[in-house]
Amino acid sequence: MIRRMHLTEGLVIVVSILLAFGIEAAWAEYSETREAHRLLAAIRDDVEATQGEVALQQESSEELANRARHLLSTMADPPSDEAFRQAILTLGSIFVTSGWEPVTHTYVEAVNSGRLRLIESEPLRLALTRYHAGVEEVNAIHRSAETQYYGQLEPFLVEHTVYSELAAEWWRGALVEAPFETDVEALAANRELWNLVTLRLELEIAMQNRLERMDGLSVEVLGLLDEELGPGVS
């Protein structure tokens, strides 16, 4: 009788311990699932926000490329001195760099902290890697544009033009009008200017290609995120 009681007590203890471990494991799994869901939702918000930035960049890049093409066409075959002068006045706005602020902090934090392991879907992890590589490609083109402006164009403008005439339109009103004018006739046959504008056009073409790729990557990532998050998230 006593042995049976001891055996029963032992079984109760063992079952209690196993039950406690089971509850703890179930809670840990539940907590990890909730954390993974929050991570995926935050990454989705970031990708959607960056989609807006991509759209703005596409519009800006197309406008800059069109201005560059117009100036090069006018240099190649100027219809009149005045037409060339008006085209030259757009030079400052051709080289302006618009703001590019992709939202990537959630993914970067997840990589650095090791929380990326919470994303179990291999296709989604690979898609996120491609997506953020695409963001870095756009970042690199932006850095190239800034380097081109400060390292090449600005010195050219100082030497060959009256900058207050050629500054981007939104700056001109804040600058002092110069008592002299840019020698437009000299610029019409300036090979360095031709090369500078052509290089800028090349950058904008590269930018448009990268942004188009970003569009496709965004759609892919959002689709995979929606699959993981379930209905009612889009």
Side-chain angles (χ1 to χ4, degrees), residues 27-84:
W27 178 254
E29 183 178 354
Y30 171 72
S31 298
E32 191 166 282
T33 299
R34 288 188 63 190
E35 186 180 357
H37 191 279
R38 286 195 295 267
L39 174 61
L40 292 171
I43 289 175
R44 193 187 193 288
D45 288 344
D46 288 358
V47 174
E48 279 199 322
T50 301
Q51 264 191 321
E53 285 291 313
V54 168
L56 289 173
Q57 286 297 307
Q58 286 176 315
E59 183 179 344
S60 172
S61 183
E62 184 177 356
E63 183 179 351
L64 293 178
N66 287 338
R67 288 180 177 180
R69 289 189 180 98
H70 175 66
L71 178 53
L72 290 170
S73 297
T74 307
M75 288 182 71
D77 186 19
S80 67
D81 291 344
E82 181 57 26
F84 179 71

Side-chain angles (χ1 to χ4, degrees), residues 1-10:
M1 184 72 174
I2 295 175
R3 180 178 298 174
R4 184 179 298 173
M5 289 178 59
H6 285 315
L7 181 61
T8 302
E9 288 175 357

Side-chain angles (χ1 to χ4, degrees), residues 61-137:
S61 183
E62 184 177 356
E63 183 179 351
L64 293 178
N66 287 338
R67 288 180 177 180
R69 289 189 180 98
H70 175 66
L71 178 53
L72 290 170
S73 297
T74 307
M75 288 182 71
D77 186 19
S80 67
D81 291 344
E82 181 57 26
F84 179 71
R85 180 172 184 80
Q86 292 304 315
I88 279 292
L89 291 177
T90 67
L91 185 58
S93 57
I94 289 173
F95 284 82
V96 71
T97 54
S98 56
W100 161 245
E101 298 179 356
V103 185
T104 60
H105 55 269
T106 301
Y107 177 81
V108 171
E109 184 278 330
V111 171
N112 292 337
S113 67
R115 289 201 308 140
L116 199 64
R117 62 177 172 73
L118 295 170
I119 301 177
E120 296 181 352
S121 168
E122 187 67 17
L124 176 55
R125 292 210 310 227
L126 290 173
L128 284 169
T129 299
R130 291 192 295 271
Y131 171 83
H132 285 278
V135 171
E136 284 306 311
E137 288 178 356

Side-chain angles (χ1 to χ4, degrees), residues 217-234:
L217 291 170
S218 297
V219 171
E220 178 189 13
V221 167
L222 288 173
L224 290 168
L225 283 167
D226 287 348
E227 287 180 15
E228 292 295 308
L229 288 166
V233 295
S234 57

Side-chain angles (χ1 to χ4, degrees), residues 13-33:
I13 292 171
V14 170
V15 169
S16 298
I17 292 172
L18 291 175
L19 184 61
F21 276 126
I23 291 172
E24 184 178 351
W27 178 254
E29 183 178 354
Y30 171 72
S31 298
E32 191 166 282
T33 299

Side-chain angles (χ1 to χ4, degrees), residues 178-196:
F180 28 77
E181 294 184 344
T182 299
D183 186 350
V184 173
E185 187 176 339
L187 287 177
N190 190 297
R191 182 181 298 180
E192 185 179 358
L193 175 60
W194 176 275
N195 288 337
L196 284 171

